[in-house]
Amino acid sequence: SFLSRVEQEIAQLRTVLDSVESRKQERTWLKNQSFGELDDSKLVDAVTGERLTFKRRGVKDPVPQMFSEKKKRLRFVVDVSGSMYRFNGQDGRLERECELVVMLMEALDGFDSRFEYSIVGHSGESDEIPFVDYNEPPRSRKERLNVILTMIAHSQFCFSGDMTFEAT
């Protein structure tokens, strides 16, 4: 099964997702400092004697309720063209793509409060074939399996062609 082939990678990806820090804790440039690197946008002020013309990297002091915690939005675009199905017997490309999508959906399960994601496909028929919407991630393994089966069915029965450029 697709799941058994990527269980180790799912655990690794969940570790990475768990360690993602929110934006409010990221280091940014602190401006109007009395020491650090000279701020290029304050050169004229520095010449006229202004003291607070430096910038340095640091964590901004949190301002209460300045911003709400926003979810990180992820969009995955997968190739579900006829060639994926046609050449799968030679190099396993569709199987590998299905394993990737299973890995993503399984790893993101339970991170609904921090991430929202969508999965769309492209083929010779369309540049945007929705498989998972941002507001409706698959909740169970059965729903995730249906996403994979829909991807395979689309690649099996779609027209040939390429919409890669339009999809991205």
Side-chain angles (χ1 to χ4, degrees), residues 97-157:
E97 186 174 69
C98 290
E99 290 170 359
L100 169 73
V101 172
V102 166
M103 179 186 71
L104 293 170
M105 291 188 295
E106 288 289 330
L108 286 164
D109 186 42
F111 285 100
D112 297 344
S113 63
R114 295 171 62 190
F115 299 97
E116 57 184 15
Y117 69 96
S118 77
I119 300 174
V120 296
H122 68 87
S123 69
E125 291 183 1
S126 175
D127 60 348
E128 186 173 355
I129 304 144
F131 294 116
V132 175
D133 292 325
Y134 283 112
N135 300 326
E136 299 174 19
R139 298 284 176 210
S140 67
R141 287 200 170 150
K142 181 179 179 181
E143 290 177 4
R144 291 190 278 277
L145 176 62
N146 285 335
V147 170
I148 299 301
L149 295 176
T150 304
M151 287 173 52
I152 293 169
H154 183 85
S155 68
Q156 184 177 3
F157 297 111

Side-chain angles (χ1 to χ4, degrees), residues 55-113:
K55 64 181 181 179
R56 60 187 167 91
R57 297 289 287 173
V59 178
K60 281 190 175 180
D61 293 329
V63 177
Q65 298 178 358
M66 182 177 140
F67 55 88
S68 62
E69 185 69 28
K70 290 186 176 180
K71 295 179 182 182
K72 296 192 184 325
R73 294 190 84 171
L74 307 171
R75 180 165 206 153
F76 302 103
V77 181
V78 295
D79 185 354
V80 288
S81 62
S83 62
M84 293 294 286
Y85 186 83
R86 193 170 306 114
F87 295 113
N88 187 52
Q90 295 175 356
D91 57 12
R93 61 180 71 180
L94 184 59
E95 287 181 19
R96 286 195 314 274
E97 186 174 69
C98 290
E99 290 170 359
L100 169 73
V101 172
V102 166
M103 179 186 71
L104 293 170
M105 291 188 295
E106 288 289 330
L108 286 164
D109 186 42
F111 285 100
D112 297 344
S113 63

Side-chain angles (χ1 to χ4, degrees), residues 31-39 42 44-55:
K31 296 190 173 208
N32 300 323
Q33 301 295 308
S34 59
F35 65 95
E37 294 182 33
L38 185 61
D39 189 348
K42 298 265 188 174
V44 174
D45 295 340
V47 172
T48 60
E50 175 66 39
R51 292 183 188 193
L52 302 176
T53 58
F54 295 94
K55 64 181 181 179

